[in-house]
Amino acid sequence: MKNNIFKFEDLCFILLTFIFSWTAWLILIGSGISSASQDNPLLLLWYLGQLGPGLSAVICSILFRKKLGLKFFNKKSKGLEVGSKSSMSSFKLVLVSISFPLIWLIPSIVYSIFISKSEFIISPALLIMNLIPAFIFSFTEELGWRGFLFRNISTRLSIYKGSIIIGLIWSIWHLPILYFSTFKDPNQFIFFLSTYIPTLVLWSIIFGWLFKASNQSILAVTISHTLFTVSYNLIMPFISASIISASILPMTTTLIIVMYIISKKNPSLLK
């Protein structure tokens, strides 16, 4: 049917992504090791699982388009070079990619310091150590979720509808590694998901809009995704101390950003 949301190649991508990532992560969870065991070689499964979307996208690209994956993705993605159909200049694109994650983080920092009186210490060395792997894995995620799946379904759906669907799938994909790295108490984990999943769906809308506004630049979305991931990792130590700074404030701030994007009255977003 012409109106199907997903084509066969999209379903294959989703299936391969979940098989690759969840297999690695479920083995990791089943091993019984702690996420704090930094010297355990099994933690490599954590990183291998995160490669799932990018590898699956390249495989599906080769299988269904008979082209080398990276050539396909680079066909329209030209880093931060904005094409004629883009609504942003390159400078504004970089600024937006950086500013959204910072806006998301600042309210939680302010709350943690001035309301909950938590010590919010950010080590420059820790920040750099987070940036490098975050960029690599954000790129592999965006190669798959936006570069392959969103690019495909956005030809059939609006940015808004397509991003919500991908956001829900993206949220579910994260569940095993979130459980391993964040909570061991199921009740606390479920409560955390009640704000985490809506937040990730909202971020999917932001990334979808940024991908479209940048003339399908994977690099632009990767920059924003990287900073989002790093800022989330900075909030993580305060989850047990303050659910407000770790969950409710980020979700509220993200909603405000999405409302700002919608207020721009982008026709392709509101359809």
Side-chain angles (χ1 to χ4, degrees), residues 22-176:
W22 277 34
T23 298
W25 291 339
L26 291 176
I27 291 173
L28 186 59
I29 293 172
S31 69
I33 69 168
S34 169
S35 58
S37 305
Q38 299 295 329
D39 57 344
N40 195 309
L42 282 176
L43 283 178
L44 287 174
L45 293 171
W46 180 336
Y47 303 110
L48 285 175
Q50 289 182 297
L51 298 176
L55 290 177
S56 300
V58 171
I59 291 171
C60 289
S61 167
I62 295 172
L63 287 176
F64 295 104
R65 301 175 187 275
K66 308 301 181 184
K67 296 180 181 180
L68 181 62
L70 291 177
K71 286 185 178 179
F72 164 68
F73 292 117
N74 286 337
K75 183 178 180 180
K76 291 185 178 179
S77 297
K78 300 179 180 179
L80 294 175
E81 296 176 14
V82 182
S84 58
K85 296 182 180 180
S86 174
S87 60
M88 290 188 186
S89 66
S90 296
F91 175 76
K92 187 176 180 181
L93 178 59
V94 174
L95 189 63
V96 169
S97 299
I98 294 173
S99 63
F100 282 168
L102 294 180
I103 293 171
W104 180 81
L105 177 63
I106 289 172
S108 294
I109 296 178
V110 172
Y111 181 89
S112 296
I113 294 175
F114 296 104
I115 307 298
S116 64
K117 305 298 183 181
S118 301
E119 292 186 7
F120 209 104
I121 302 174
I122 303 175
S123 165
L126 183 62
L127 183 62
I128 295 173
M129 288 176 62
N130 270 272
L131 276 173
I132 296 173
F135 181 84
I136 294 171
F137 294 122
S138 294
F139 175 75
T140 59
E141 281 194 48
E142 292 308 322
L143 199 62
W145 297 119
R146 249 61 61 178
F148 186 86
L149 187 58
F150 179 79
R151 189 200 298 268
N152 284 356
I153 70 173
S154 64
T155 61
R156 302 183 289 277
L157 298 174
S158 67
I159 297 176
Y160 178 73
K161 293 177 183 177
S163 295
I164 289 177
I165 291 171
I166 291 177
L168 290 171
I169 299 171
W170 188 33
S171 302
I172 295 170
W173 174 75
H174 278 93
L175 293 183

Side-chain angles (χ1 to χ4, degrees), residues 184-230:
K184 294 303 179 185
D185 178 7
N187 292 328
Q188 192 181 23
F189 181 62
I190 291 172
F191 180 77
F192 171 70
L193 290 180
S194 67
T195 57
Y196 178 84
I197 291 177
T199 300
L200 216 61
V201 171
L202 291 171
W203 270 100
S204 180
I205 296 174
I206 294 171
F207 291 157
W209 174 82
L210 184 58
F211 185 69
K212 198 75 172 180
S214 64
N215 200 25
Q216 301 187 349
S217 168
I218 294 174
L219 182 56
V221 186
T222 298
I223 291 172
S224 195
H225 190 160
T226 299
L227 295 176
F228 164 68
T229 300
V230 171

